[in-house]
Every structure is written in C-alpha cells, then in structure tokens.
Amino acid sequence: MFLIDQLSKNDIWIIVIGMALPFLATVLGAAVVFFIRGEIDRKTNSVLLGFAAGIMVAASIWSLIMPSYEMAGENWGENFALVPVTIGFILGALLMYGTDKLVPHIHKTSNIEEGIKTKKLSREAKLFFAMTIHNIPEGLAVGFAFAVAAKGGGGLTILGALALAIGISLQDIPEGAAVSLPMAQSAGTKKKAFLYGVLSAVVEPIGAIAAFFFATFFADLLPWFLSFAAGAMMYVVIEELIPEAKLSEDNHLGTFAVLGGFVLMMVLDLLLG
C-alpha cells in the first residue's frame, strides 16, 4: 500500500476531496431540475455540452495522455513510451464501445437507443444507464491520476490530479442539469429525476477509489491505466457529447463553448500541475 504510506495527511485529504468533487458536482447539476421547468433550450444545451466536451478533451490530453507518455518514458525509455499510451488508449475506447453495445440506454437528445434490445426496462431506466455509462470513465480518470501523483511519476503532482478532478467537476454541473431535466419529463416527477441523477453519479467516487487502490497493486501499469482512462473519456466525447451538442446548428455558440472548456482545463492543469 505504498501509495498511501508515503502521503502526508494534507495530500490524503486532497485526494479524498478530489474523488468526491465529481459526485457532488453531478448532484448539484441534477438539483437544477427543482428550479427549471421543462427542458433546456437547444442553444443552452449546445453550450453546456460543448463546454463539457472541451474540458474532457483537454483533461484527456494534459492530465492523462501526457503524464502517461512521460511515465512510460521514465520506466521503459522513450523508444517504447508510445506503446502503453497507444494501446491503453485504444483499449479504453474499445471498453466503452463494448459497453455501448451491451447496456441498454437512450441518448437523451437524439432519442437513439443502443445496447441489447429489451422491453423490460423503462425509458427512464435507459436514460439512467446512459448517464451512468458516461460517469464511469470520469471516476477512473480521477482515481488513476491521483495514483500516479501519489507515486510521483509522469510529472503529475497531487495538485495536478486535483486540477483534473476540478475540471471534470465543472463539466459535471451543466451535464447533470442537461440530463436531469429530460429525465423529469420521462420519469414524471422531479424528485425521481433528481434521484436518478444522484444514483448515476455514485459510480464516480466508486470508480475513483477502485482505480486508486487497483493501481496500488499494479503500479508498473500506471501509464497503461492513464491512457486507458483517456481513451474511455474521448470515446464518450466523440460518441455522445459532441453529437448531442449539435455544434453545427447553433451559430458557433457550441463551438466556442468547446474551445472555452478546453482553455479552462488547460489553464487549470498548467497552473496546478
């Protein structure tokens, strides 16, 4: 358990707070359902999801892929550094692809249904699974980032991992709102929609804790884990966030939201990392 033994109390508290932030942010976003009637209009939805996409792209590059490459170079030399980065990234994307094909879920804006076809699940249950699938790679990314920072490799510090957690949390707030409002229309009550939002967010701290302690036992594979989380996050961005944002229909608002999210996450990482 060297990752814990070598940490100060302040570092441990930062890790605990960092792992809790995405969950709390998603819950906060889901709570918007109590204050807004109906669904978010198309332009606002485009801005919110575009902003979330920009943050996740930047987080994947600055907080996951770059530390993965640097750590792999430290362990095996620059000639082999691209191997775990590339293969890990592909495996992360393939995992999310497989999950898409197996778990029944509905994309909230397009109403496209994916996964194994079944009539036993309600529409709100399928919306819930879509939310949950999205949250899993975020939890893994935070957990693996803190594991790398605790080990002291890849140039990633505890504050750098915290920057990743903050960035993911910032995009979880509008994202939580963007999914809880259509959920209320399907579920029939705002309380039920909020509860679905909270339950979908539970996988984030669970995934973060599991990833952190899993990395404790397989520390040599940390570069693979980081790029794996990056691949999973990028799959979600390309498969869901950007198409749902409908960037081509909003007179560039969504495009600038993506750029704004990217710049914000880049600045957070450079300042704290």
Side-chain angles (χ1 to χ4, degrees), residues 51-253:
F51 179 77
I55 285 182
M56 290 184 71
V57 170
S60 297
I61 296 171
W62 293 96
S63 300
L64 297 173
I65 293 176
M66 295 306 295
S68 171
Y69 180 77
E70 186 172 336
M71 196 173 191
E74 294 169 358
N75 293 344
W76 302 303
E78 293 185 4
N79 292 334
F80 296 96
L82 280 176
V83 174
V85 176
T86 303
I87 296 178
F89 186 92
I90 293 172
L91 290 176
L94 288 177
L95 173 68
M96 297 309 298
Y97 172 76
T99 303
D100 254 354
K101 294 300 181 182
L102 292 175
V103 179
H105 63 283
I106 297 176
H107 292 277
K108 56 187 178 298
T109 302
S110 62
N111 286 317
I112 295 176
E113 186 170 344
E114 292 187 304
I116 297 174
K117 303 299 181 182
T118 176
K119 296 182 179 179
K120 295 181 179 180
L121 293 175
S122 63
R123 174 178 169 79
E124 57 263 28
K126 293 177 181 178
L127 285 170
F128 164 76
F129 282 128
M131 296 160 61
T132 304
I133 291 170
H134 188 165
N135 289 333
I136 290 174
E138 296 175 5
L140 295 178
V142 171
F144 288 139
F146 275 119
V148 170
K151 189 177 185 299
L156 187 63
T157 64
I158 293 292
L159 289 180
L162 179 62
L164 171 65
I166 292 173
I168 288 177
S169 300
L170 288 175
Q171 64 92 26
D172 273 339
I173 296 175
E175 194 175 272
V179 295
S180 66
L181 293 172
M183 176 69 77
Q185 302 295 316
S186 179
T189 67
K190 293 185 176 183
K191 289 183 179 180
K192 195 173 181 180
F194 174 72
L195 180 60
Y196 271 119
V198 172
L199 291 176
S200 73
V202 169
V203 299
E204 291 180 288
I206 291 176
I209 294 170
F212 184 88
F213 285 103
F214 183 78
T216 297
F217 298 101
F218 301 96
D220 291 340
L221 298 178
L222 280 171
W224 298 79
F225 296 153
L226 284 177
S227 58
F228 179 89
M233 285 179 59
M234 285 298 294
Y235 180 91
V236 170
V237 171
I238 298 169
E239 170 74 9
E240 181 176 349
L241 289 183
I242 289 178
E244 295 286 342
K246 298 183 180 298
L247 300 181
S248 61
E249 300 178 10
D250 61 15
N251 195 28
H252 305 302
L253 285 175

Side-chain angles (χ1 to χ4, degrees), residues 25-56:
T26 304
V27 171
L28 179 62
V32 171
V33 73
F34 294 114
F35 305 100
I36 297 179
R37 292 184 178 182
E39 295 190 30
I40 297 175
D41 64 84
R42 182 181 58 79
K43 287 187 177 181
T44 302
N45 185 70
S46 180
V47 169
L48 294 179
L49 293 183
F51 179 77
I55 285 182
M56 290 184 71

